[in-house]
Every structure is written in C-alpha cells, then in structure tokens.
Amino acid sequence: MPMIDIYAPRGTFADPHGLARDAAAAVMAVEQVPDIPMFRQNTAGFVHELDPSHLSDVDGANDHIRVQVLTNAGALDRDKQLAVVARLTALVAEAAGNPGLTERTWVLLTEAPEGGWGLWGHAHTNAELVQAARDQLTALSAGG
C-alpha cells in the first residue's frame, strides 16, 4: 500500500484533493494490485503545499515539484518504476496546468524494509500483506 507525498509551492494545484486521489490511483494501477478495499483504502496521496520561500535548488529557483513514493519492498520492478515516474510526472504537470513542470519534477522511489510496513496497528512483512490481500479476495468472492 503505497504512500505518495507531493511537495509543491503553495498555489501550484487548483485541486490538491483531486491530485492526491489521482496520484494514489495511478500508483495502484501501475502496481497492478487487485481492486479491493485493502488496497483502495490504504493507498494514499498527500499534497504538501509549501511556502515558496521554503524550497530552492542551488540556483535559487523554487518552481520544482517533489514526489516521494513509499512502497513495500519489491512492489515496483524496473518496468513499474519507469511507468510510475512517467505517470506521476505527467499527472502533477497536468494538475498544475504547466507542462514545463515535467522538467522540474523530481520523483523519489523508496521501499519500506521487510517487516516495516505498518497497517492496522501492526508492522507487516511482505508475506503478511500478501496473505491479508488473499484473505480479503477470498472473503469478497464468498460474498463477505
């Protein structure tokens, strides 16, 4: 269940809530996980609006976007890494109405270590997450 954090100067996005939802949906689609409540309700985007004076590159420009995607270990193979970076970069540029942001968007992909993914008050291993998803798929197919 990825967490997506988008950091941008305040006022960059007209609809931060929509962007957060769309970013979460994009990462879930790239990961190709089942469309079940466990994933829909625990894959989340967060838009952090910063005072423009609180960010800068070396040249002093503050017109950048930073996107950080935290996933469980092994969730994104190389093809999925390429896809998620491309989709999120395009998504934030579109949400800002500024195609030039594709050149000024940084995407950081990170993985939680084995046993470091907290959900429902418990630090889960990858195997436990997979089993929880299987259990929910079974319950849903049985009408539960």
Side-chain angles (χ1 to χ4, degrees):
M1 278 61 61
M3 296 290 117
I4 303 97
D5 290 280
I6 301 168
Y7 299 88
R10 185 177 303 112
T12 299
F13 307 113
D15 181 11
H17 181 262
L19 174 58
R21 180 195 59 238
D22 293 347
V27 174
M28 190 172 145
V30 169
E31 279 194 337
Q32 300 173 340
V33 295
D35 186 15
I36 58 175
M38 177 182 165
F39 294 116
R40 287 194 319 267
Q41 296 169 2
N42 292 294
T43 300
F46 302 84
V47 176
H48 307 272
E49 295 186 301
L50 305 172
D51 183 301
S53 68
H54 293 179
L55 64 144
S56 180
D57 64 17
V58 174
D59 290 336
N62 64 357
D63 58 348
H64 296 281
I65 307 295
R66 179 179 183 262
V67 181
Q68 182 171 351
V69 180
L70 175 63
T71 64
N72 58 304
L76 299 174
D77 63 21
R78 184 63 181 148
D79 289 337
K80 289 178 181 179
Q81 291 171 353
L82 294 168
V84 81
V85 168
R87 286 187 68 177
L88 290 174
T89 299
L91 183 66
V92 297
E94 181 180 321
N98 183 348
L101 280 176
T102 59
E103 299 299 318
R104 297 186 312 279
T105 298
W106 306 310
V107 180
L108 174 63
L109 303 177
T110 55
E111 294 182 339
E114 183 66 31
W117 198 259
L119 188 61
W120 309 309
H122 177 75
H124 293 273
T125 65
N126 283 340
E128 290 170 335
L129 288 173
V130 169
Q131 188 58 51
R134 286 183 180 142
D135 292 346
Q136 190 166 87
L137 283 166
T138 299
L140 290 171
S141 67

